[in-house]
Amino acid sequence: MFDSVAPSQQRLRPAWPLVFALTPSEPSFAGRAHRVIDNSARVPASPEQVYDEFTELAHGAEWLDQFLHIDLHTPEAPPDRRIYTETLTFMSVRFHVCEAERGRRWVASIDSCSLPLAAQMLQEVTFEPMDDGSTLFRWRIHYTPSRLTRPVLGTLEPLLGGLFKRSTEQLATFFQNPQRGQA
């Protein structure tokens, strides 16, 4: 993911305060997480095209539910070691990328958040090529709820799950425009 706004201008764009620290994750956390939100969609574009849109968010406002902006804090780092802050209408998260293999896999640890959603959280995204040239896009959020969230998990989980489900579906719809597949 990247941000085309110059660093001096990024400071002018508000983000929710990142007051809740999470335990940083490595990819192996996926096997130990207490909960998972798992969504997938067949996207009518190549794995590389879907990967590029997902990681760069060049059109994020068109498909990522509640998206406002993303800020890259480490532009000099390789893609698999970058740190970002992503801001939605209701929260911000800071994450570091653990794995980045274009057109195949992207994994990131959520390290801080403006809401007490989880004690530990990891995003895992895969891009599987299909025989018809489309991509099976799979977006999993592995997490262990925070103590503050556990009492309201029954209400909170459908809301967050719905956000990721809508975003996954909207990404597929975004690529249904024939012009997107040529970009």
Side-chain angles (χ1 to χ4, degrees):
M1 295 179 183
F2 75 97
D3 191 1
S4 59
V5 176
S8 62
Q9 294 174 333
Q10 288 179 4
R11 286 183 232 118
L12 302 175
R13 299 183 332 164
W16 297 98
L18 298 166
V19 295
F20 297 97
L22 284 73
T23 301
S25 301
E26 290 301 322
S28 62
F29 174 68
R32 299 187 312 274
H34 291 107
R35 314 287 285 193
V36 65
I37 297 170
D38 190 350
N39 287 291
S40 62
R42 182 174 236 142
V43 180
S46 73
E48 292 78 15
Q49 290 168 315
V50 180
Y51 178 94
D52 290 347
E53 178 57 38
F54 181 83
T55 60
E56 295 173 7
L57 287 170
H59 305 95
E62 294 181 48
W63 64 267
L64 183 55
D65 204 37
Q66 307 295 318
F67 177 74
L68 293 178
H69 60 85
I70 189 157
D71 299 306
L72 171 59
H73 302 289
T74 55
E76 70 289 344
D80 63 344
R81 295 293 169 237
R82 291 186 177 157
I83 299 171
Y84 299 87
T85 298
E86 185 174 320
T87 301
L88 304 176
T89 58
F90 63 97
M91 74 171 184
S92 293
V93 295
R94 177 153 302 151
F95 61 90
H96 79 268
V97 179
C98 305
E99 293 182 14
E101 187 178 351
R102 185 173 183 254
R104 296 193 46 131
R105 182 174 162 85
W106 182 89
V107 180
S109 169
I110 308 300
D111 297 334
S112 58
C113 186
S114 59
L115 297 174
L117 299 177
Q120 192 168 3
M121 184 179 281
L122 180 79
Q123 291 190 72
E124 178 184 22
V125 185
T126 55
F127 308 83
E128 183 181 332
M130 305 304 289
D131 291 337
D132 63 358
S134 67
T135 299
L136 178 58
F137 170 80
R138 188 168 182 200
W139 191 0
R140 288 170 284 196
I141 296 82
H142 306 274
Y143 69 101
T144 297
S146 70
R147 284 181 290 181
L148 294 172
T149 304
R150 286 181 196 145
V152 294
L153 197 56
T155 302
L156 185 61
E157 215 167 30
L159 294 174
L160 282 177
L163 179 138
F164 287 105
K165 181 177 177 23
R166 283 187 304 278
S167 296
T168 300
E169 292 168 350
Q170 290 167 179
L171 179 62
T173 300
F174 170 79
F175 276 103
Q176 287 177 355
N177 176 341
Q179 299 300 318
R180 301 287 185 209
Q182 298 169 7

